[in-house]
Amino acid sequence: MTDPAARRRRQALYLFFFLPGIAMSSWVTRTPDVRDRLGVSTAEMGLILFGLSVGSMIGILCSGRLVERLGTRTVIVLGTTLIISATIVIGAGSAVASPPLVTAGLFLFGAGMGSGEVAVNVDGADVERITGTPVLPTLHGCFSLGTVVGGVAGMTATAAGIPVHWHLAVITLVSTGMLVHASRALPAGVGLSTQHDTSDSAPPSGPPVWTDRKLLLIGAIVLAMALAEGAANDWLPLLMVDGHGLDATAGSLVYVGFAAAMALGRFCGTFFLVRFGRAAVLRASAVSGALGLVLVIFSDNVAVAAGSVLFWGLGASLGFPVALSAAGDSGPDQTARVSLVAIIGYVAFLVGPPALGFLGDHYGLRTAMVAVLVFVASAILIAPAADTRDRTATTLDA
């Protein structure tokens, strides 16, 4: 692959991470308005979010096979198309105040995220292998940057009183343009070529990747940190509105602060990874995330709770991309290893947060976040599992 082709491919992947970030935060920042428009309770909102869970599970479970049969490019384009279609359906559901239609839109959104995002991570890991440099933290930083941009747009639309369906209609147009532009730069057959190479050679001698204890520990790390990210993406504005008494605009502003902290952590992550290694960075990230969650949950000072989401965001920022890089380096069959850990992460990211809605309805959203805190605290203990290659090799690659 020539250098110009590599640059175009990276730029396309930046857009394919950026686009779901915009779509996700555009929905999240309008959840208070959507809830009020639909006239539902917190538990009923959890049921609506269950559409996201079902769609994401279907997309996640199908993603590995789809990549093997169709290649990453086709699956990425298909998943992104589903996300764009979901934005239209969610906007229409809000316009006519139809909970089933919003649920259907979230189902499409989950299916697109579950399938497309696993494929785009596999493609990003392949770029890391080809170029020999860390790419996934920056790619995930583009997702966080997209959440910042979409969050600012959502906050502005909320403050201006723009209806949700008009807001999401604009997001649909912008996202469609990005999809058309970026899809041309991705090479065909990335997942296919790996699968074919494996089938043409001698049968693999090792056990299945899901029996690899170290890989499962890496999966546990990404589960905890992805849950921390997903909980904020789905519930942070409502957590600040219902749990700390902020208005909808201020709640959206807090979410933008979280997203900005995520982006900062991911864009600066390579610097710390080179100097301190994966295990130290992941442990520090988990400590930061746990500190932020403790302050949000237990502090009654609104300013302290709002400011602590910066620790939460910084802590959650590197868990997913660093664990995926570690999974790719943990043994042979990189595609299968990255797919397995990505699936675990997206289960936590998309399926875990709706369950928090049921806890929040019974005990309050602040108390429900204790479950997230327990998972993040556990990641502090198992962070050494991410050291799948020595620090010298990591430094040379970077």
Side-chain angles (χ1 to χ4, degrees):
M1 183 170 61
T2 63
D3 287 342
R7 286 196 298 270
R8 287 195 298 270
R9 184 178 178 185
R10 282 197 300 268
Q11 290 166 1
L13 290 174
Y14 292 156
L15 287 179
F16 278 117
F17 272 91
F18 184 76
L19 191 155
I22 289 181
M24 175 70 79
S25 60
S26 297
W27 149 251
V28 171
T29 53
R30 304 309 299 268
T31 48
D33 292 326
V34 173
R35 182 189 61 176
D36 295 343
R37 174 72 177 163
L38 299 179
V40 297
S41 66
T42 300
E44 290 169 332
M45 196 67 179
L47 285 173
I48 290 172
L49 286 170
F50 190 65
L52 184 70
S53 302
V54 174
S56 63
M57 282 302 299
I58 292 174
I60 286 168
L61 293 175
C62 295
S63 60
R65 293 290 182 86
L66 288 174
V67 169
E68 290 174 2
R69 295 188 177 189
L70 304 176
T72 55
R73 176 183 179 179
T74 300
V75 179
I76 290 169
V77 172
L78 174 62
T80 306
T81 301
L82 287 176
I83 291 173
I84 294 172
S85 302
T87 307
I88 300 172
V89 176
I90 293 170
S94 175
V96 299
S98 170
L101 198 55
V102 173
T103 304
L106 289 173
F107 172 85
L108 292 175
F109 195 101
M113 285 282 289
S115 58
E117 289 300 292
V118 169
V120 80
N121 276 291
V122 171
D123 209 282
D126 186 62
V127 172
E128 283 193 336
R129 180 185 61 81
I130 292 172
T131 62
T133 58
V135 174
L136 283 169
T138 303
L139 291 176
H140 282 262
C142 290
F143 175 86
S144 297
L145 180 61
T147 62
V148 173
V149 174
V152 170
M155 181 184 65
T156 303
T158 300
I162 297 173
V164 174
H165 57 279
W166 288 119
H167 170 205
L168 295 184
V170 174
I171 297 300
T172 298
L173 291 175
V174 173
S175 300
T176 301
M178 291 183 187
L179 170 61
V180 172
H181 173 73
S183 60
R184 302 169 182 169
L186 294 182
V190 171
L192 287 173
S193 61
T194 302
Q195 186 70 15
H196 290 165
D197 290 345
T198 301
S199 62
D200 292 340
S201 60
S205 58
V209 293
W210 52 266
T211 63
D212 187 324
R213 180 176 176 273
K214 193 176 187 69
L215 185 64
L216 292 179
L217 288 174
I218 295 171
I221 295 171
V222 79
L223 186 150
M225 305 308 284
L227 179 60
E229 181 181 354
N233 279 333
D234 275 5
W235 290 111
L236 187 54
L238 280 174
L239 173 63
M240 300 308 298
V241 170
D242 293 349
H244 290 284
L246 297 180
D247 60 29
T249 302
S252 296
L253 179 61
V254 171
Y255 173 76
V256 170
F258 170 85
M262 289 278 296
L264 177 64
R266 285 171 169 173
F267 284 124
C268 297
T270 299
F271 175 87
F272 294 100
L273 286 168
V274 168
R275 281 154 183 79
F276 303 107
R278 288 174 179 151
V281 168
L282 282 176
R283 181 173 284 130
S285 297
V287 169
S288 177
L291 174 62
L293 281 161
V294 165
L295 294 175
V296 169
I297 294 167
F298 298 109
S299 175
D300 292 323
N301 185 299
V302 176
V304 171
S308 64
V309 303
L310 300 178
F311 292 105
W312 185 353
L314 284 172
S317 62
L318 291 175
F320 208 154
V322 173
L324 288 176
S325 293
D329 291 333
S330 64
D333 200 354
Q334 181 191 52
T335 298
R337 290 175 175 273
V338 173
S339 295
L340 176 62
V341 173
I343 286 169
I344 293 172
Y346 282 110
V347 167
F349 184 79
L350 296 171
V351 177
L356 296 174
F358 295 98
L359 290 175
D361 195 55
H362 288 88
Y363 306 106
L365 282 174
R366 286 171 66 175
T367 303
M369 293 298 157
V370 172
V372 182
L373 174 61
V374 171
F375 277 95
V376 173
S378 70
I380 299 173
L381 302 176
I382 57 178
D387 271 343
T388 53
R389 54 179 181 170
D390 62 43
R391 191 173 149 196
T392 302
T394 304
T395 303
L396 290 174
D397 281 354

